[in-house]
C-alpha cells in the first residue's frame, strides 16, 4: 500500500496535523492537511498545510519566513492524525508572535495568555495578511 | 465570557484535543471533545473525550486503568484546538499497548512501527472492548 493510502482522510479529505518542536517537545500548532499538502510536506521537507478558511495550500512561513523544517513525520494508530516533528525557524509558530499557538492556559475558570509575544505580528507579516488563522 | 464559550466548536460540536505527557513532552494521542467532555475533563481533572465511533463519552482509562490525570489545559490562538498536559497512568496511552499512538514513522516511503509494545492489548482490555479507536 502506498503510504498516503494509510491515512484515513475525513469526509472533507483532510487529516489533523500537529506540529511539535523536535528538540524541546513543545507543541507548536495544529492545522489540517489534504493529500496534496502531505505529499508536498514530505517532498519539500517542510510543513505545508491546507487552509480551510482560505481554501488553498498554506506553506507555513511563506510570508513570515517562519518555515517549519521537517525532521520526522508520524502517523497515529488509527491513521487519522499526523505528528510533525519540526525545527521552527524564527522560533515562533503563532501568528500572534508567540512560540506556540497554545498560549491560553485555563486558570481558575479563565483563559490566561501566558507566553510572551516575541515579535509584533505587524512586523512579522507586514501587509501580507498571512496568519495562522485558518 | 464563560471559558467554554471561547472554544470554537466545529459543526459537529467537537474540538480537537491533544494529550501530551506533562513531563516528557511526548505527544500521546489525539481525540475529540464535545462541550460535556471538556466540562467533565476539567471537573474531574482527567482526560474525558467524545468517541465519534461509539457516539458516547469516553473516560480514557475506564477499562484499561490508563487514566490521564490532567495537569494543565491549553487552548490555541483561534480556539479550535485544545492541548492537555497529562500524567499518563500505566505509561501507555495507545490501545496497542504502546506509550504513544504516534508510533508509525515515515521512513523511505513506508510507515515503520517504532515504539515497543509495553503490554499485550488483550491483557490491557480483556473482553471489555475499550480501545482508542474512536
Amino acid at each position: 500500500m502506498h503510504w498516503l493510502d494509510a491515512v484515513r482522510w475525513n469526509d472533507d479529505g483532510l487529516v489533523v496535523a500537529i506540529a511539535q518542536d523536535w528538540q524541546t517537545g513543545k507543541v507548536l500548532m495544529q492545522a489540517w492537511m489534504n493529500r496534496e499538502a502531505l505529499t508536498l510536506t514530505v517532498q519539500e521537507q517542510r510543513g505545508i498545510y491546507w487552509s480551510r478558511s482560505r481554501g488553498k495550500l498554506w506553506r507555513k512561513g511563506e510570508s513570515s519566513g517562519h518555515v517549519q523544517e521537517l525532521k520526522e513525520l508520524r502517523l497515529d494508530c488509527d491513521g487519522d492524525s499526523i505528528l510533525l516533528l519540526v525545527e521552527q525557524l524564527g522560533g515562533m509558530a503563532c501568528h500572534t508572535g508567540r512560540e506556540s499557538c497554545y498560549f491560553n492556559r485555563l486558570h481558575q475558570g479563565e483563559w490566561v495568555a501566558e507566553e510572551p509575544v516575541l515579535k509584533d505580528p505587524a512586523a512579522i507579516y507586514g501587509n501580507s495578511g498571512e496568519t495562522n488563522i485558518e
Side-chain angles (χ1 to χ4, degrees), chain A residues 65-118:
Chain A
H66 299 160
V67 167
Q68 296 176 335
E69 292 182 355
L70 185 66
K71 298 296 181 180
E72 206 171 296
L73 190 77
R74 291 181 168 266
L75 181 67
D76 79 345
C77 53
D78 59 348
D80 64 356
S81 191
I82 283 175
L83 180 65
L84 293 86
L85 295 171
V86 301
E87 175 152 347
Q88 177 61 64
L89 301 193
M92 64 196 96
C94 187
H95 75 289
T96 64
R98 295 177 173 90
E99 181 185 7
S100 164
C101 293
Y102 294 92
F103 58 82
N104 300 297
R105 185 171 70 89
L106 189 64
H107 179 67
Q108 298 182 344
E110 288 187 7
W111 297 109
V112 181
E114 283 214 327
E115 302 208 4
V117 174
L118 303 174

Side-chain angles (χ1 to χ4, degrees), chain A residues 36-48:
Chain A
E36 185 183 9
L38 181 53
T39 302
L40 290 172
T41 290
V42 171
Q43 276 179 9
E44 301 185 14
Q45 292 288 294
R46 59 179 281 194
I48 299 175

